[in-house]
C-alpha cells in the first residue's frame, strides 16, 4: 500500500494504491500526484514494514506554469528559478522558462542575466529586480504587454547586441518609476522601435556611458501629459556638436 508525505505542495496521490507482490515485487502502474511540490512516498507492507522514498519533486509544466526567480543567476540555469502550477505554491524546477509560461517574475533583490538567444514573453520585472541582457533575445507577442518593468525594476542592456528582437506587436511597458538602463549598446535602439516601447509618466531611460548618445527623437509616441525621463548620467555629449531633440 502506498501513501505520501507532503514536504511542500498540496497534491493528492491517486491511482491504484494497493497491490499484491509477485515474487517479492509490488508494481504500481497508474499512480500520480496532481500538483507540483516535493513529496515522499511511503510503501507499507505487513511483512517488511514501512519503506520511505527519497524526495520526489514534481515540477510545474512550463507549458502552463508560472515561474519566478529564486536567486540571481543566468536565465538558462535551472537553479535561478522556481515554478508553480497555480501561481501560489512554488517549488524548485528542472526546467527554465520560455515564452509559453504564463507569468515570469524577476523578484526584488534578484538579477537575472540573458546571455544566450532565448525566446521570452509575459515577463514582469518587479521593484528591486533586474533583467540584464548581454545578448539579443526574442520577445514574443502574447496577451497584453510582454515585458512590464514595474516601479523600481530595471531592464539593463549591457552589450551592443543586447537589444530585444520584437515579434509582431510585442511591447515593453516601462511603468512609472521603471528603468531601462543602457550600460552597453546604442541609446538609439530604443527610439528606433517606438511602437514596441511604452513609456509611462516618470518612467526612465538612462544613458550612463561616456560616449556620445547620438541625434534622434526620444519618446516620440508619448502624449502631452506623459513625461518620461531621459537621464544622462555619464560624461556624454550629443555627438558631432549637434543638439538632440528630446
Amino acid at each position: 500500500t502506498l501513501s505520501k508525505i507532503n514536504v511542500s505542495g498540496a497534491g493528492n496521490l491517486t491511482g491504484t494504491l494497493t497491490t499484491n507482490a509477485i515474487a517479492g515485487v509490488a508494481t504500481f502502474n497508474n499512480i500520480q500526484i496532481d500538483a507540483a511540490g516535493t513529496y515522499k512516498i511511503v510503501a507499507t507492507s505487513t511483512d517488511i514494514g514501512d519503506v520511505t522514498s527519497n524526495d520526489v519533486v514534481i515540477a510545474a509544466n512550463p507549458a502552463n506554469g508560472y515561474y519566478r526567480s529564486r536567486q540571481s543567476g543566468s536565465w538558462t540555469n535551472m537553479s535561478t528559478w522556481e515554478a508553480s502550477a497555480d501561481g501560489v505554491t512554488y517549488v524548485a524546477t528542472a526546467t527554465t522558462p520560455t515564452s509559453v509560461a504564463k507569468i515570469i517574475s524577476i523578484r526584488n533583490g534578484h538579477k537575472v542575466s540573458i546571455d544566450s538567444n532565448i525566446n521570452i514573453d509575459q515577463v514582469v520585472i518587479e521593484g528591486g529586480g533586474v533583467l540584464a541582457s548581454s545578448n539579443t533575445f526574442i520577445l514574443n507577442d502574447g496577451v497584453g504587454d510582454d515585458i512590464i518593468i514595474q516601479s523600481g525594476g530595471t531592464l539593463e542592456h549591457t552589450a551592443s547586441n543586447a537589444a530585444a528582437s520584437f515579434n509582431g506587436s510585442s511591447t515593453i511597458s516601462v511603468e512609472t518609476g521603471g528603468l531601462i538602463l543602457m550600460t552597453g549598446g546604442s541609446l538609439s535602439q530604443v527610439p528606433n522601435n517606438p511602437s514596441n516601447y511604452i513609456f509611462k509618466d516618470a518612467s526612465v531611460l538612462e544613458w550612463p556611458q561616456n560616449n556620445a548618445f547620438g541625434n534622434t527623437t526620444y519618446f516620440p509616441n508619448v502624449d502631452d501629459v506623459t513625461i518620461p525621463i531621459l537621464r544622462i548620467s555619464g560624461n556624454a555629449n550629443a555627438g558631432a556638436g549637434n543638439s538632440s531633440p528630446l
Side-chain angles (χ1 to χ4, degrees), residues 179-197:
L179 170 66
I180 294 181
L181 180 64
M182 302 298 299
T183 56
S186 169
L187 190 60
S188 63
Q189 64 188 253
V190 175
N192 282 351
N193 298 279
S195 62
N196 301 109
Y197 288 91

Side-chain angles (χ1 to χ4, degrees), residues 210-235:
N210 291 332
N211 52 318
F213 58 88
N215 298 320
T216 190
T217 300
Y218 299 94
F219 318 123
N221 292 337
V222 300
D223 57 34
D224 292 340
V225 296
T226 302
I227 307 175
I229 299 166
L230 176 61
R231 179 186 294 152
I232 310 300
S233 56
N235 185 19

Side-chain angles (χ1 to χ4, degrees), residues 129-207:
V130 179
L131 179 60
S133 175
S134 61
N135 202 90
T136 300
F137 60 91
I138 299 170
L139 188 61
N140 262 23
D141 184 12
V143 177
D145 296 318
D146 303 290
I147 294 179
I148 298 175
I149 309 171
Q150 296 182 344
S151 178
T154 301
L155 173 61
E156 180 180 7
H157 295 305
T158 65
S160 58
N161 63 337
S165 176
F166 295 97
N167 275 351
S169 300
S170 56
T171 54
I172 297 175
S173 178
V174 192
E175 305 296 299
T176 297
L179 170 66
I180 294 181
L181 180 64
M182 302 298 299
T183 56
S186 169
L187 190 60
S188 63
Q189 64 188 253
V190 175
N192 282 351
N193 298 279
S195 62
N196 301 109
Y197 288 91
I198 301 171
F199 284 91
K200 304 293 181 65
D201 191 58
S203 59
V204 181
L205 174 61
E206 181 170 352
W207 180 251

